[in-house]
Amino acid sequence: MVVVTGQNKATGRPGDAMSSSDAEDDFQEPATPTATQAEHSLALLPQQFPEVVPLNVGGMHFTTRLSTLRRYEDTMLSAMFSGRHYIPTDTEGRYFIDRDGTFFGDVLNFLRSGDLPPRERVRSVYKEAQYYSIGPLLDSLEDLQPLKGEKVRQAFLGLMPYYKEHLERIVEIAKLRAMQRKARFAKLKVCVFKEEMPITPYECPLFNSLRFERNEGETKLFEHHCEVDVSFGPWEAVADVYDLLHCIVTDLSSRGITVDHQCIGVCDKHLINHYYCKRPIYEFKITWW
């Protein structure tokens, strides 16, 4: 009888023998974690914060209590310093927030004692309150000027059909004309009218209304488009043409656009019988540099 002995690793049968070297190969000590892996593991652990927190907000240094940052639960700052998120520190051990810190002091003052910024900083602090999702600060700032007035202004502009689109059209037309003429400025005609239909000195609007008593057939006789680049109107509100002109100039100026305007007359287009269009026409001058 012939007896054959040996190991066949390839078969992997339970009855196959295993050498001591094979056993040593199969047993390996756990690898030492790298620095990156260790840092990642630490980031997953709850972060502990001191009672007095040093901060570095975009290069500006602040110091405040941990309870101040956690004053309102549903805010970004409260979530950041809840211990659930890892916040990096700078070389001095200050917790770093990658955000411009110019108005962060105003945010902290509100969290500390409810103090609000002066008028000239309200808009900027409002943007920071939006970024950090501080609802109580947003509500408080909205009751201050100029934000309170802006809410009223936006309510009026909400009555204007395609107001933002018309603003964009003014900018695009002025830009195109200036480029075509290689000019420093461009001019365009803008019609701003409050009433939907022209009137004569013998007509008066209905009491407490801005509309006139005309039937549908008569209304169609007065439909026309003034020969201008952009038209704003009509609308029903107490605010008049000059109020809308102020809004247009304000919104263009807020975009860094230099704009001047003047009334150059009325449309004066004959419509029917003794009716002429008396919508005012304004010349807008957009200066680019």
Side-chain angles (χ1 to χ4, degrees), residues 47-66:
Q47 193 170 11
Q48 301 296 324
F49 298 99
E51 181 60 28
V52 177
V53 182
L55 299 170
N56 179 345
V57 184
M60 299 184 67
H61 295 171
F62 301 90
T63 304
T64 189
R65 293 175 62 91
L66 181 61

Side-chain angles (χ1 to χ4, degrees), residues 22-191:
D22 294 332
E24 292 175 356
D25 291 339
D26 290 342
F27 178 78
Q28 297 180 354
E29 294 183 358
T32 303
T34 63
T36 303
Q37 292 172 333
E39 182 179 354
H40 179 69
S41 299
L42 289 174
L44 297 178
L45 296 176
Q47 193 170 11
Q48 301 296 324
F49 298 99
E51 181 60 28
V52 177
V53 182
L55 299 170
N56 179 345
V57 184
M60 299 184 67
H61 295 171
F62 301 90
T63 304
T64 189
R65 293 175 62 91
L66 181 61
S67 58
T68 299
L69 298 172
R70 295 176 176 176
R71 182 170 299 278
Y72 299 105
E73 293 183 358
D74 298 330
T75 66
M76 180 186 292
L77 289 173
S78 179
M80 290 174 63
F81 290 90
S82 64
R84 301 190 306 268
H85 307 280
Y86 175 75
I87 303 178
T89 56
D90 61 13
T91 55
E92 298 179 358
R94 295 180 175 272
Y95 296 98
F96 181 72
I97 299 177
D98 194 9
R99 177 79 174 176
D100 186 359
T102 303
F103 302 100
F104 189 75
D106 292 300
V107 174
L108 282 183
N109 287 336
F110 176 80
L111 295 177
R112 288 166 176 153
S113 55
D115 292 344
L116 296 173
R119 174 170 180 159
E120 62 270 16
R121 296 207 300 268
V122 166
R123 291 184 184 273
S124 299
V125 177
Y126 188 81
K127 292 181 180 179
E128 298 306 300
Q130 287 179 314
Y131 177 79
Y132 293 111
S133 302
I134 306 176
L137 178 54
L138 290 172
D139 294 338
S140 298
L141 292 175
E142 287 175 355
D143 285 335
L144 298 179
Q145 288 287 61
L147 295 183
K148 194 168 187 176
E150 181 62 18
K151 290 178 66 175
V152 177
R153 192 178 80 98
Q154 290 300 328
F156 161 58
L157 292 179
L159 301 175
M160 300 299 305
Y162 310 109
Y163 175 75
K164 292 183 179 179
E165 290 80 359
H166 290 339
L167 279 184
E168 292 299 327
R169 181 168 174 79
I170 288 177
V171 175
E172 290 301 319
I173 292 176
K175 173 183 166 184
L176 181 62
R177 288 180 180 172
M179 294 179 65
Q180 288 176 340
R181 301 172 183 176
K182 308 298 187 293
R184 179 168 167 259
F185 61 86
K187 295 181 179 180
L188 60 159
K189 293 181 179 179
V190 178
C191 177

